[in-house]
Amino acid sequence: MFRFIVKRLFGIIPTLLIVSILVFLFVHMIPGDPARLVAGPDASYEDVELVRQDLGLDKPLVTQYFTYMSGLFQGDLGTSMKTKRPVFDEIADRFMPTFWLTIWSMVWAIIFGLLIGVISATKRNKWQDYTGMFTAVSGISLPSFWLGLMLIQLFSVQLGWFPTGGNDSWTSYILPSITLGAGVAAVIARFTRSSLMDILREDYIRTGRAKGLKENIVVWKHALKNAMIPVVTMTGLQFGFLLGGSIVVETVFSWPGLGRLLIDSVSYRDYPVIQAELLLFAFEFILINLIVDVLYGIMNPQIRY
Amino acid sequence: MENGTVITQSDELIQSKPEKVKTPLSEFWRKFKKQKMAMVAATFVLLLIIVALIGPFIAPYSATEPDYDNILSPPSLEHLAGTDAFGRDIFSRIIEGTSISLYVGLTSVFIGAVIGTVLGLLSGYYGGRLDSIIMRICDVLFAFPGILLAIGIIAILGPGLENVIIAVAVFGIPTFARIVRSSTLSIKESVYVESAISIGAPARRIIWKHIFPGTLSSIIVYFTMRIGTSILTAASLSFLGLGAQPPSPEWGAMLSSGRDFLNSAPHVTFFPGLAIFLTVLAFNLLGDGLRDALDPKMKD
């Protein structure tokens, strides 16, 4: 097991390297002269050149890449062109709101997704199944920005139960996390249903029922345990979806998180921030995939490394 | 020798039941039409395509002409979905926006599917170093969660509908490549491919004539499901201000422009969102139906 984890850890290094090179090139392909942007529109040619030297932009790309990467390892991600603050600080400020938003969305998604999935699988082809699965496919098809705005309209504007945006108290987490979690809940529900239905056909389930176990115990204890193995993998991968989805949801709810920071920096062409954010999102996602892989190995006794 | 035997056997099979030949297509249709939801969805998609084609001719009002006497009026018999901040009829704008959403959804998925399929076929058939290079590229593309890759691409190319299409297409490449690769790998093991290799058929012929048709059903299913996701992603990008720009009746952009009047005129955001939702729902239900009808593992 330990050897497997170490092997996988080393396995992601090439991907990380390529991702970092790609993001680096990506950002350098953004049109416009960053030195000119930093120096301002009224700066003279000499000033722009000074800024270019200052930022190291006159050096060859390869050198710039290595400078950037060595800075990265020391926690230096450059300076935001918009706020003139270190990018590291900008991101650190925004990290926790996005982190908690993602976690809460996932909690909702798992609770509702599992519940709908189990009910649908055990009441196969009955009205509960049809309702559950129609809800799920609707959840996948809902534009999150629309759902968010409609929830704001209903619960914040009309009923006044929750704030319309920001993250000042725990009540402000409720609407954004439901909005973000809806799609994931739907995916988990569909996956749980099909996985549980496969397991319920197995011999050992028939044995359990034949020896007179209560149906609830058969489903929740015996079947669900095995049915969860693929569901855990799928759920872990949905974290990536949440990271991406947070970009939209944060915009709707004026959430002070990483997603909104990214949109702001794209419209401002704040390339050091864009670069750091793309890297951060990609690293997080690769790390989550790694954790999912390891969890899968721990949960599934059929897999031995 | 072996080929000859196979042919006679299948000849016998056909001759034994001459009255009703089961072609793959009739078999598919038999399974597909049993699914009521998918049939409803297919009808709706057909309707959308018709609306997209003849939209400007059936829209009751102009989609772009402002009418300052009718600003933000709520839904009525005259204006079914109300009017927006410029007095434009929202229902007419939704009708004219249909072609934009379908165009973006279809072209982006098509581009992604073509590139992904070619990569997947090459990767699965040749294996070895080519396979590891292609799969590594996919890993890298996969490393950007959700619409992040699309946003990154738009950061380079700049906002606009054409760039959204490119961004969403790139976003679809790795998934198509993986799906096609895995079915290529299993088809490669089949006897008919092995025999084609053994009689010395050229690789290009084997890939296109023998392997590609076998991967087609999973491509079709995923293609349909992907259209919904792509329309959703494109609308999200427009909502964020990175896609279609305001005067355009693109649904995401329409919705975004209604945000400022959410309290006084919620219908400006409600109806474009409903249009996105129903369209994406229809494609997803259609995709589910196709999967159930085309998947040989599903029993009826």
Side-chain angles (χ1 to χ4, degrees), chain B residues 61-273:
Chain B
Y61 296 88
S62 156
T64 44
E65 202 87 344
D67 172 8
Y68 293 108
D69 297 331
N70 255 320
I71 286 173
L72 296 176
S73 43
S76 62
L77 277 177
E78 215 174 316
H79 296 283
L80 288 175
T83 59
D84 67 5
F86 296 93
R88 295 171 300 201
D89 182 52
I90 292 175
F91 184 64
S92 303
R93 282 173 68 75
I94 289 176
I95 286 179
E96 294 210 8
T98 310
S99 58
I100 303 178
S101 285
L102 289 194
Y103 170 72
V104 172
L106 286 169
T107 42
S108 62
V109 180
F110 185 76
I111 297 169
V114 169
I115 300 175
T117 302
V118 171
L119 289 178
L121 284 170
L122 293 176
S123 187
Y125 184 77
Y126 287 106
R129 176 163 293 181
L130 185 71
D131 181 34
S132 19
I133 293 174
I134 292 176
M135 283 303 113
R136 200 21 63 76
I137 296 173
C138 289
D139 280 349
V140 171
L141 292 180
F142 265 127
F144 299 96
I147 61 172
L148 193 75
L149 187 67
I151 291 177
I153 292 170
I154 288 175
I156 301 172
L157 300 175
L161 210 56
E162 303 301 317
N163 295 341
V164 165
I165 294 175
I166 297 172
V168 177
V170 174
F171 178 44
I173 292 173
T175 326
F176 276 107
R178 287 225 174 144
I179 289 173
V180 173
R181 176 181 178 266
S182 74
S183 39
T184 304
L185 284 176
S186 64
I187 295 169
K188 213 175 115 184
E189 300 300 314
S190 63
V191 183
Y192 66 88
V193 171
E194 231 171 75
S195 51
I197 296 174
S198 71
I199 61 167
R204 185 191 297 192
R205 192 183 158 77
I206 295 171
I207 292 175
W208 287 112
K209 292 269 175 188
H210 300 289
I211 295 180
F212 175 66
T215 62
L216 208 57
S217 68
S218 44
I219 296 175
I220 291 172
V221 170
Y222 192 67
F223 189 96
T224 316
M225 294 188 158
R226 196 76 204 177
I227 293 173
T229 321
S230 294
I231 292 177
L232 213 52
T233 312
S236 306
L237 291 169
S238 292
F239 173 77
L240 293 170
L242 303 174
Q245 300 299 317
S248 151
E250 201 274 341
W251 297 339
M254 281 172 70
L255 203 153
S256 176
S257 69
R259 282 183 69 193
D260 300 336
F261 324 106
L262 192 59
N263 297 348
S264 54
H267 65 269
V268 183
T269 45
F270 179 77
F271 288 105

Side-chain angles (χ1 to χ4, degrees), chain A residues 31 134 141 146 153 190 240 285, chain B residues 37 142 145 156 262 270 284 288:
Chain A
F134 191 74
S141 314
W146 186 58
Q153 172 64 20
R190 280 160 67 111
F285 194 38
Chain B
M37 285 308 267
F142 265 127
I156 301 172
L262 192 59
F270 179 77
N284 282 339
D288 280 357

Side-chain angles (χ1 to χ4, degrees), chain A residues 11 14-15 18-19 22-23 25-27 29-31 124 134 137-146 149-150 152-153 157-158 190 239-241 243-245 247-248 251-254 262-263 266-267 269 274 277-279 281-283 285-286 289, chain B residues 37 136 139-149 151-159 225 229 232 235-237 239-240 242 251-252 255-256 259 262-264 266 269-278 280-282 284-285 288 291 298-299:
Chain A
T15 313
I18 299 173
V19 166
L22 196 76
V23 169
L25 291 176
F26 236 39
V27 171
M29 285 192 307
I30 296 180
R124 195 184 172 187
F134 191 74
V137 74
S138 304
I140 294 171
S141 314
L142 270 175
S144 59
F145 45 92
W146 186 58
L149 289 173
M150 292 302 121
I152 291 177
Q153 172 64 20
V157 178
Q158 305 272 346
R190 280 160 67 111
F239 261 109
F241 176 85
L243 286 175
I247 299 170
V248 176
T251 307
V252 172
F253 287 93
S254 314
L262 181 69
I263 294 302
V266 168
S267 45
R269 301 227 158 135
I274 301 176
E277 283 233 42
L278 289 178
L279 275 180
F281 274 114
F283 284 10
F285 194 38
I286 291 171
N289 285 348
Chain B
M37 285 308 267
R136 200 21 63 76
D139 280 349
V140 171
L141 292 180
F142 265 127
F144 299 96
I147 61 172
L148 193 75
L149 187 67
I151 291 177
I153 292 170
I154 288 175
I156 301 172
L157 300 175
M225 294 188 158
T229 321
L232 213 52
S236 306
L237 291 169
F239 173 77
L240 293 170
L242 303 174
W251 297 339
L255 203 153
S256 176
R259 282 183 69 193
L262 192 59
N263 297 348
S264 54
T269 45
F270 179 77
F271 288 105
L274 188 68
I276 301 171
F277 170 56
L278 291 178
V280 176
L281 183 66
N284 282 339
L285 287 171
D288 280 357
R291 184 195 55 207
M298 295 285 294
K299 300 219 177 70

